[in-house]
């Protein structure tokens, strides 16, 4: 195993001939896909990895400058694909990783046959003629609460993000992976995500994109999915699921699995 693979805890499972890459969002790690992986291993070689900064990665490898933009994460993704000699893949990105995949696809469109976006947003801040769901004041309060008491913030944020109470298995799982992050890294990562604006690059994305969204999501209003559909440069399709919460693959796998499998097998452009 190479340095890149080791740093990102890369795992390849399955016996298929085609590659599918599963990339997680903020506060989680590759374990967020645990309900999905068994459905894919007979048909695909499934690539799992952890974004730098996840609690499973070595915090000494986290470069605050490199990861102050999503480009740093996109470079990591491309390095992983190069190390694994992946020449083409289906990319499934949850939350911020959906945007990381789009950034990577702009420079290397040959590596991606399609991008499946789960709970994705190009911008979380409201703007003129754009509703992202948050005002700057909301985000400043969130960042202050994280900095003041990270553990307490996690306990409040996890049930809101997942859409359940602290007793639910999904909330407990998200809480676990959130707690595992080093607090200063978690704050830096979330600031990068919430302050980013990927709208200007959407028209440069030529890979077919499948946009999958929960009907109710604290972090991503449904109108954002339609915004992506209207502004991506290539073909795209939207499906709003009956699930609730920002991590539907954890909280509603019975809803998400058939939808994901449908979009993995269905090509917009034949």
């Amino acid at each position: 195993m190479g340095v890149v693979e080791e740093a990102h805890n890369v795992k390849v499972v399955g016996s298929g001939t085609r590659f599918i890459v599963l990339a997680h969002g903020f506060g989680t790690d590759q374990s967020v896909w645990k309900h999905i992986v068994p459905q894919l291993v007979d048909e695909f070689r499934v690539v799992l990895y952890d974004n730098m900064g996840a609690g499973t990665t070595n915090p000494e490898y986290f470069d605050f400058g490199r990861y102050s933009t999503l480009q740093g994460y996109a470079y990591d993704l491309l390095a992983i694909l190069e190390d694994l000699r992946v020449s083409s893949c289906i990319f499934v990105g949850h939350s911020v990783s959906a945007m990381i995949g789009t950034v990577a696809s702009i420079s290397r469109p040959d590596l991606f046959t399609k991008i499946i976006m789960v709970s994705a947003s190009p911008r979380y801040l409201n703007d003129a003629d754009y509703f992202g769901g948050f005002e700057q004041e909301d985000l400043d309060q969130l960042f202050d609460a994280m900095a003041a008491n990270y553990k307490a913030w996690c306990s409040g944020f996890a049930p809101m993000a997942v859409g359940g109470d602290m007793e639910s298995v999904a909330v407990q799982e998200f809480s676990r992976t959130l707690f595992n992050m080093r607090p200063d890294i978690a704050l830096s990562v979330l600031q990068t995500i919430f302050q980013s604006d990927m709208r200007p690059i959407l028209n440069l994305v030529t890979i077919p994109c499948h946009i999958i969204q929960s009907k109710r999501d604290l972090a991503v209003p449904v109108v954002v999915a339609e915004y992506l559909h209207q502004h991506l440069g290539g073909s795209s399709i939207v499906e709003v699921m009956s699930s609730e919460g920002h991590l539907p693959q954890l909280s509603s796998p019975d809803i998400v699995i058939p939808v994901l499998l449908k979009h993995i097998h269905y090509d917009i452009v034949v």
Side-chain angles (χ1 to χ4, degrees):
M1 182 179 283
V3 174
V4 171
E5 293 171 66
E6 186 174 352
H8 292 275
N9 303 315
V10 175
K11 295 183 183 68
V12 182
V13 296
S15 53
T17 55
R18 293 184 296 161
F19 282 97
I20 186 166
V21 178
L22 305 181
H24 68 85
F26 168 77
T28 60
D29 56 41
Q30 61 188 263
S31 68
V32 79
W33 301 110
K34 63 184 179 182
H35 299 298
I36 312 295
V37 173
Q39 310 294 322
L40 300 173
V41 290
D42 289 341
E43 187 178 354
F44 294 96
R45 295 185 69 192
V46 184
V47 178
L48 298 153
Y49 71 98
D50 296 332
N51 282 322
M52 197 54 62
T56 46
T57 60
N58 185 341
E60 298 304 314
Y61 290 161
F62 189 84
D63 183 319
F64 286 87
R66 177 184 177 92
Y67 299 111
S68 63
T69 70
L70 300 191
Q71 189 71 56
Y73 296 98
Y75 288 144
D76 289 349
L77 169 59
L78 293 175
I80 290 167
L81 296 180
E82 182 178 345
D83 269 23
L84 295 177
R85 294 187 170 87
V86 174
S87 59
S88 178
C89 73
I90 295 171
F91 181 83
V92 182
H94 172 240
S95 194
V96 66
S97 276
M99 290 298 106
I100 292 167
T102 61
V103 173
S105 78
I106 292 169
S107 59
R108 290 295 307 275
D110 55 301
L111 293 178
F112 304 89
T113 58
K114 73 173 78 170
I115 295 173
I116 299 176
M117 304 176 168
V118 182
S119 309
S121 176
R123 178 180 165 96
Y124 294 88
L125 269 172
N126 299 329
D127 199 2
D129 301 321
Y130 177 81
F131 182 67
F134 295 90
E135 296 292 343
Q136 186 62 54
E137 183 182 0
D138 302 328
L139 298 184
D140 290 341
Q141 290 175 355
L142 182 150
F143 300 146
D144 288 346
M146 282 185 82
N149 189 330
Y150 181 66
K151 292 291 176 74
W153 176 83
C154 289
S155 296
F157 182 73
M160 286 195 300
V162 174
D165 57 44
M166 282 303 290
E167 302 307 311
S168 81
V169 174
V171 171
Q172 290 177 4
E173 179 66 13
F174 185 44
S175 297
R176 178 186 67 80
T177 53
L178 262 182
F179 282 143
N180 281 345
M181 294 185 76
R182 204 173 79 185
D184 59 331
I185 291 175
L187 177 58
S188 177
V189 172
L190 200 60
Q191 286 174 328
T192 294
I193 293 169
F194 272 149
Q195 303 289 170
S196 65
D197 186 356
M198 311 310 291
R199 293 176 300 169
I201 68 157
L202 294 179
N203 67 317
L204 303 176
V205 179
T206 58
I207 305 304
C209 291
H210 298 239
I211 304 154
I212 301 173
Q213 176 65 38
S214 292
K215 68 176 182 181
R216 191 173 292 112
D217 180 340
L218 168 81
V220 184
V222 170
V223 291
V224 171
E226 187 59 31
Y227 183 91
L228 284 168
H229 178 50
Q230 296 295 334
H231 290 82
L232 285 161
S235 302
S236 63
I237 189 171
V238 176
E239 179 159 357
V240 178
M241 301 179 291
S242 60
S243 57
E244 298 189 12
H246 190 59
L247 295 96
Q249 70 273 51
L250 263 190
S251 58
S252 305
D254 54 326
I255 296 172
V256 175
I257 288 171
V259 172
L260 259 182
L261 292 176
K262 179 176 68 177
H263 286 277
I264 286 167
H265 292 116
Y266 169 69
D267 293 329
I268 306 171
V269 182
V270 179

